[in-house]
Amino acid sequence: RRLAERGAQITALARPRGETWVPDENATVVLLVDTSGSMRARDVEPTRLDAASAAMRSFLDRLPKRFHVGLVEFSSVPDVLAEPTRDRQLVRDAITYLTPDAGTAIGDGLDIATRLAQSTLAREGAKRGQDGKLPAAIVLLSDGAQNRGTLRPQQAAQKARTAGIRVFTVALGTQKGVVRFGFGPFGQTIPVPPDPATMRMIARTTGARTYTANNAERLEAV
């Protein structure tokens, strides 16, 4: 009898409660990666950018095939490397073009990623859910503070929130990270600590989560 009663309780818990979760075939993820010069730092081995590239490839392997995924890089200016697509190989090929460049325009990069997700979902006819969110997410990986661009990170985060898109953020690197420019006596070592406060602000503004990664294993886990 006890087993029967227990079974009845489990069955009751398993019954639908007025809502049915259905995977959205138009769900879109935009990978937004920092390619500023500080991404050549080796505090995250082999370099910050190499670790980020490996983690993104692993992410593509795990992401359900029905989802669209795109890739945007940003340094001093943002650049769309892959429009959201179900073709994982196209995005993998785009990752191979990532190289450290110059400055860090987080706000402009986030703005481009937001508009890219919006336009993709508009073409697919996707609508906002009852929570006001679009079936989309941006995964932002950055290792430093903004020093280029026209749009501030907070402004871009507000625009993403208004669009109904959550931005999950990862602050990559350690406080001891440095990059070296030049050679011999003319060389210069520059500290390049990450900026977790800005990553935290963006995630919280858009209703998402933020993470820190000080090594490649942690980044893979995130």
Side-chain angles (χ1 to χ4, degrees):
R1 180 179 177 183
R2 290 180 179 175
L3 287 174
E5 290 176 348
R6 181 59 178 162
Q9 292 169 358
I10 293 172
T11 301
L13 289 172
R15 288 173 183 163
R17 297 182 178 243
E19 287 187 16
T20 302
W21 183 83
V22 178
D24 195 311
E25 298 302 320
N26 297 317
T28 296
V29 176
V30 176
L31 299 172
L32 176 60
V33 60
D34 186 340
T35 55
S36 58
S38 56
M39 288 291 280
R40 62 170 54 92
R42 297 182 180 276
D43 56 333
V44 179
E45 296 181 343
T47 69
R48 290 178 179 180
L49 187 56
D50 288 333
S53 297
M56 287 189 289
R57 292 189 186 97
S58 178
F59 178 81
L60 291 174
D61 291 337
R62 297 171 180 174
L63 189 69
K65 293 182 179 180
R66 65 179 178 272
F67 294 161
H68 294 86
V69 59
L71 176 65
V72 176
E73 67 165 348
F74 67 91
S75 179
S76 296
V77 294
D79 187 22
V80 177
L81 296 185
E83 297 268 347
T85 175
R86 292 191 178 98
D87 185 344
R88 298 291 186 263
Q89 190 57 49
L90 190 151
V91 183
R92 288 190 186 93
D93 291 345
I95 289 173
T96 65
Y97 291 102
L98 297 174
T99 56
D101 194 0
T104 308
I106 298 172
D108 291 353
L110 180 52
D111 184 42
I112 289 292
T114 298
R115 286 190 278 159
L116 182 61
Q118 284 181 296
S119 62
T120 299
L121 292 169
R123 286 196 302 270
E124 298 292 333
K127 305 296 183 182
R128 295 189 188 218
Q130 293 182 349
D131 60 356
K133 302 292 186 182
L134 285 170
I138 295 170
V139 181
L140 165 59
L141 192 153
S142 178
D143 75 332
Q146 171 149 317
N147 55 25
R148 295 288 189 279
T150 57
L151 201 64
R152 296 194 304 274
Q154 187 163 6
Q155 292 174 303
Q158 289 290 348
K159 293 181 72 172
R161 178 177 180 174
T162 300
I165 298 174
R166 287 170 294 179
V167 185
F168 296 84
T169 61
V170 183
L172 177 62
T174 69
Q175 292 299 317
K176 296 181 179 179
V178 297
V179 291
R180 184 170 177 79
F181 298 95
F183 300 94
F186 303 102
Q188 183 179 14
T189 299
I190 301 175
V192 286
D195 184 12
T198 295
M199 295 297 100
R200 185 164 52 248
M201 177 276 295
I202 292 172
R204 288 180 175 176
T205 298
T206 62
R209 295 183 64 181
T210 189
Y211 306 86
T212 58
N214 57 12
N215 57 57
E217 292 74 19
R218 171 59 180 164
L219 180 58
E220 178 78 13
V222 170

